[in-house]
C-alpha cells in the first residue's frame, strides 16, 4: 500500500438523557445517537454516516493519476498551490478546499484518508447499501455492527443504565441489544424558537447533562437568548454542526457516553455537483471542528470514522453531476489517530481499470477499517469482532490506524 440557515428543529429524548446517558438528537437531516457509558475507559469512538453517497473523487482528488483530469472534466480542481486548487496531501492526492479544518488535522497527523474503499456489497440503491453498511454484512440484519460491538462490552456498574430506546427512527447502526433512543420529527424543516426554549428548560433542570448541552450550543455561537427561545439560531449554523458540538460536550462528560453516531445527508449530487457539494462538505468540516473543540482534552482519546454507502461514477454526467458508483473514500480522524497519510491501493483510472467501466475499483473493504478501530481502540477481541461483523473472515482488521500502535 502507498500510501443555513436551514436550521431545523432539534428534538431530544429527555427521558433518555435523564435516565440513561443514552439517547438521540434530531436536527433537520442530521441526527445524533449516543450510547451509554460503559467500560471503555477514556477512549471515545464517533461514527459519522454520510447519507447519499459522497463523491470520494471530489473529496480526495487523485490529481496525480494521468487519467483523472480527462475523466472528471470540470469537477477536477487545480493542483495544490494554484488558485482554487486542492489542498496538498503530500503529493498525488489533494483534499477539496471545502475541507480546510480536516486539512489542518491532516497536517497535524490527526487525519487519515483512505481511498478506493467500499463495502463488500455491490448495490447502487441508497436504501439497500445504507442498510448493509450499518449492518456490517452482505445481508440485511435487524441490528447494527456498532450496537453488536457495544453488546460485547460488560456494563459498568457505576454508570447509569446502559441505554433507553424510545424513538421511532433509531439508526440501524445502533439498533440491537444495547438500547439507545432516537426520535425523528416528521415534516419539520425550520427551527422553531419555542422548541429551543423547551429544550433549554428541560436541560436546565439536569445538573449533569444540562450544562453540557447548553455549552455545546454556546460553543457554536448560540447565545443565552437563543437557548431560552427568544431568537432563532445564528445565521449559517448548520444542523450538523450544532449536533456535533452537542455530541462533543456529552462525550467529554466524565460519566457520559463513549460512543456516538452522527448522520449527515445531502451527498446525492446527480446535478450541479460543483456547487451543491460545497454545503455538505463545509458542514462536515465545521462539524468535525465543533466536535474537536467541544471534546477538549478528550480529543486526544478520540477516533472518528467517516463512512458513506458507496462512491460515485468517475465520469461526469450530462447535468454536471455524478451518479451512483462503487468505491469512494473513508476518513479516520482524532487525537488518537495516526494520521497525516493517504492509504490507498490505488487501482488507477485508465482503460480497463474501472469497475464495470464506470466506477472506481474497490481495493479496500470498509469493514476492515471499522474492525481495526474496534479492536485497536476499543479493545474488542477476535470473537467480539466476529459477532459485530458476521461472516467477515475475509475482512481482517486494518492495523496502523492509531498512534498507540506506532
Amino acid at each position: 500500500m502507498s500510501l443555513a440557515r436551514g436550521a431545523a428543529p432539534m428534538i431530544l429524548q429527555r427521558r433518555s438523557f435523564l435516565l440513561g446517558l443514552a439517547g438521540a438528537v434530531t436536527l433537520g437531516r442530521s441526527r445524533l445517537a449516543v450510547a451509554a457509558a460503559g467500560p471503555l475507559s477514556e477512549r471515545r469512538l464517533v461514527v459519522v454516516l454520510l447519507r447519499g453517497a459522497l463523491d470520494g473523487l471530489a473529496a480526495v482528488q487523485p490529481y496525480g493519476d494521468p487519467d483523472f483530469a480527462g475523466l472528471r472534466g470540470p469537477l477536477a480542481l487545480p493542483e495544490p498551490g494554484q488558485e482554487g486548487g486542492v489542498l496538498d496531501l503530500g503529493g498525488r492526492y489533494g483534499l477539496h478546499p471545502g475541507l480546510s479544518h480536516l486539512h489542518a488535522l491532516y497536517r497535524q497527523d490527526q487525519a487519515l484518508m483512505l481511498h478506493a474503499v467500499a463495502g463488500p456489497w455491490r448495490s447502487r440503491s441508497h436504501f439497500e447499501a445504507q442498510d448493509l453498511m450499518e449492518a456490517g454484512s452482505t445481508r440485511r440484519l435487524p441490528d447494527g455492527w456498532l450496537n453488536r460491538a457495544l453488546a460485547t462490552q460488560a456494563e459498568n456498574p457505576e454508570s447509569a443504565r446502559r441505554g433507553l430506546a424510545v424513538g421511532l427512527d433509531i439508526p440501524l447502526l445502533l439498533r440491537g441489544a444495547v438500547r439507545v433512543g432516537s426520535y425523528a420529527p416528521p415534516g419539520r424543516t425550520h427551527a422553531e424558537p419555542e422548541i429551543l426554549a423547551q429544550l433549554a428548560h428541560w436541560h436546565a433542570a439536569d445538573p449533569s447533562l444540562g450544562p453540557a448541552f447548553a455549552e455545546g450550543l454556546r460553543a457554536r455561537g448560540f447565545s443565552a437568548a437563543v437557548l431560552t427561545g427568544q431568537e432563532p439560531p445564528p445565521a449559517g449554523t448548520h444542523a450538523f454542526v450544532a449536533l456535533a458540538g452537542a455530541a462533543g460536550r456529552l462525550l467529554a462528560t466524565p460519566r457520559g457516553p463513549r460512543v456516538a453516531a452522527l448522520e449527515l445527508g445531502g451527498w446525492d449530487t446527480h446535478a450541479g455537483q460543483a456547487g451543491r457539494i460545497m454545503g455538505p462538505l463545509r458542514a462536515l468540516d465545521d462539524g468535525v471542528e465543533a466536535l474537536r473543540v467541544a471534546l477538549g482534552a478528550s480529543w486526544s482519546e478520540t477516533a472518528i470514522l467517516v463512512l458513506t454507502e458507496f462512491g460515485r461514477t468517475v465520469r461526469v454526467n450530462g447535468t454536471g453531476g455524478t451518479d451512483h458508483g462503487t468505491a469512494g473514500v473513508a476518513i479516520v480522524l482524532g487525537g488518537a489517530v495516526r494520521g497525516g497519510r493517504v492509504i490507498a491501493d490505488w487501482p488507477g483510472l485508465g482503460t480497463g481499470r474501472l469497475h464495470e467501466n464506470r466506477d472506481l475499483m474497490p481495493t479496500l473493504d470498509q469493514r476492515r477499517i471499522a474492525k481495526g478501530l474496534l479492536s485497536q481502540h476499543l479493545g474488542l477481541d477476535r470473537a467480539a469482532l466476529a459477532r459485530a461483523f458476521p461472516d467477515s473472515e475475509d475482512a481482517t482488521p486494518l492495523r496502523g490506524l492509531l498512534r498507540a500502535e506506532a
Side-chain angles (χ1 to χ4, degrees):
M1 286 186 178
S2 67
L3 292 197
R5 176 76 174 254
M10 176 181 289
I11 304 298
L12 299 181
Q13 282 296 337
R14 178 172 180 264
R15 288 184 60 210
S16 301
F17 284 102
L18 293 179
L19 300 178
L21 288 176
V25 183
T26 298
L27 189 55
R29 290 192 298 179
S30 301
R31 283 188 294 166
L32 157 68
V34 295
L40 303 176
S41 83
E42 292 303 312
R43 294 181 177 177
R44 276 82 170 169
L45 176 66
V46 180
V47 179
V48 180
L49 302 176
L50 305 182
R51 297 196 184 279
L54 162 68
D55 180 10
L57 292 172
V60 180
Q61 304 204 3
Y63 66 85
D65 188 298
D67 296 295
F68 175 72
L71 288 167
R72 295 296 279 184
L75 297 183
L77 299 178
E79 295 186 10
Q82 301 180 29
E83 183 177 358
V86 293
L87 306 173
D88 182 36
L89 293 177
R92 187 178 179 86
Y93 302 94
L95 195 64
H96 194 286
L99 297 171
S100 59
H101 290 306
L102 268 63
H103 187 246
L105 292 174
Y106 182 91
R107 297 185 63 179
Q108 297 169 33
D109 297 336
Q110 296 181 12
L112 185 60
M113 312 295 165
L114 303 102
H115 223 316
V117 173
W121 54 86
R122 293 294 173 264
S123 171
R124 293 190 176 92
S125 160
H126 291 300
F127 302 110
E128 182 179 28
Q130 288 176 17
D131 279 355
L132 298 176
M133 173 178 66
E134 295 176 71
S137 175
T138 56
R139 54 190 169 89
R140 281 180 157 144
L141 298 173
D143 51 7
W145 61 261
L146 188 54
N147 191 289
R148 294 194 296 273
L150 287 172
T152 67
Q153 306 285 308
E155 286 194 72
N156 183 346
E158 296 183 357
S159 72
R161 57 188 297 181
R162 193 156 190 178
L164 182 67
V166 179
L168 301 174
D169 198 12
I170 185 170
L172 177 60
L173 181 71
L174 273 173
R175 291 181 197 163
V178 178
R179 295 182 299 165
V180 296
S182 183
Y183 182 81
R188 293 181 181 275
T189 57
H190 299 289
E192 297 178 9
E194 60 270 24
I195 292 177
L196 293 172
Q198 192 173 28
L199 286 172
H201 174 72
W202 283 348
H203 288 78
D206 186 330
S208 176
L209 296 179
F213 174 73
E215 285 301 314
L217 291 180
R218 288 193 184 97
R220 297 308 307 163
F222 284 74
S223 67
V226 170
L227 295 177
T228 56
Q230 298 174 21
E231 58 185 59
T237 302
H238 193 283
F240 179 77
V241 178
L243 283 182
R249 290 290 175 184
L250 292 170
L251 289 163
T253 303
R255 295 185 67 242
R258 293 294 180 265
V259 174
L262 287 150
E263 303 173 64
L264 176 60
W267 303 98
D268 200 14
T269 51
H270 287 284
Q273 177 173 301
R276 289 186 56 192
I277 202 171
M278 286 303 297
L281 281 175
R282 285 174 173 156
L284 174 63
D285 195 57
D286 290 344
V288 168
E289 177 64 7
L291 188 58
R292 185 190 68 80
V293 171
L295 277 163
S298 299
W299 173 257
S300 64
E301 301 287 347
T302 299
I304 304 169
L305 173 60
V306 182
L307 298 173
T308 194
E309 65 262 35
F310 48 67
R312 306 191 70 85
T313 51
V314 174
R315 299 180 182 88
V316 184
N317 63 26
T319 56
T322 54
D323 300 318
H324 301 176
T326 304
V329 299
I331 304 173
V332 180
L333 308 148
V337 172
R338 183 175 159 228
R341 298 172 293 152
V342 177
I343 295 179
D345 184 3
W346 187 246
L349 300 174
T351 302
R353 294 181 177 274
L354 300 183
H355 177 67
E356 297 182 350
N357 192 33
R358 51 172 281 165
D359 303 339
L360 180 63
M361 186 75 74
T363 59
L364 177 58
D365 191 323
Q366 191 180 86
R367 297 172 300 175
R368 293 192 63 201
I369 307 169
K371 291 174 76 172
L373 290 175
L374 291 178
S375 64
Q376 296 147 37
H377 192 56
L378 299 190
L380 269 68
D381 61 20
R382 186 173 179 176
L385 290 175
R387 179 175 175 181
F389 290 91
D391 305 319
S392 66
E393 294 80 4
D394 58 333
T396 57
L398 187 63
R399 302 194 62 83
L401 301 175
L402 301 167
R403 292 180 186 277
E405 300 176 75

